[in-house]
Amino acid sequence: MKQRKKSKYVHKAQYVAEVEVTLVEDDTGWSPYLSVEDAYKLDDVRDALRRGDLESAAKYGRIYELRPVAHQ
């Protein structure tokens, strides 16, 4: 079983969180996959962003605010 780090991005409203997770690779047909803990971490970040709780979301990774570049 091999593990590697990867950044996952969670987008809600005008915010994006960059969260580092570990992908598990093995010889099964389900590979690569997240651990249960990392899946819950992504869910927690998504819920925090949905509530607008940036402080809680920032505990798991970097938070970015999306803004339009040009108005049409």
Side-chain angles (χ1 to χ4, degrees), residues 4-5 7 27 30 33 43 47 50 58 61-63 67:
R4 62 183 164 103
K5 299 283 184 184
S7 292
D27 295 332
W30 295 95
Y33 56 88
D43 285 343
D47 290 341
R50 188 177 296 128
R62 293 182 185 195
I63 307 300
R67 293 182 286 162

Side-chain angles (χ1 to χ4, degrees), residues 10 12 17 19 40-50 56-57 60-61 63:
V10 179
K12 282 292 169 192
V19 181
Y40 283 137
K41 182 181 357 178
L42 293 175
D43 285 343
D44 291 344
V45 170
R46 188 175 297 106
D47 290 341
L49 290 178
R50 188 177 296 128
S56 293
Y60 299 101
I63 307 300

Side-chain angles (χ1 to χ4, degrees), residues 2 6 8 10 12-14 22 25-27 29-30 35 38 40-41 45 48-49 51-52 59 63-64 66:
K2 191 168 96 172
K6 176 144 176 91
K8 290 285 192 178
V10 179
K12 282 292 169 192
Q14 75 268 27
T22 301
E25 297 180 9
D26 58 18
D27 295 332
W30 295 95
S35 68
D38 281 342
Y40 283 137
K41 182 181 357 178
V45 170
L49 290 178
R51 293 189 313 268
K59 293 177 185 176
I63 307 300
Y64 299 96
L66 301 175

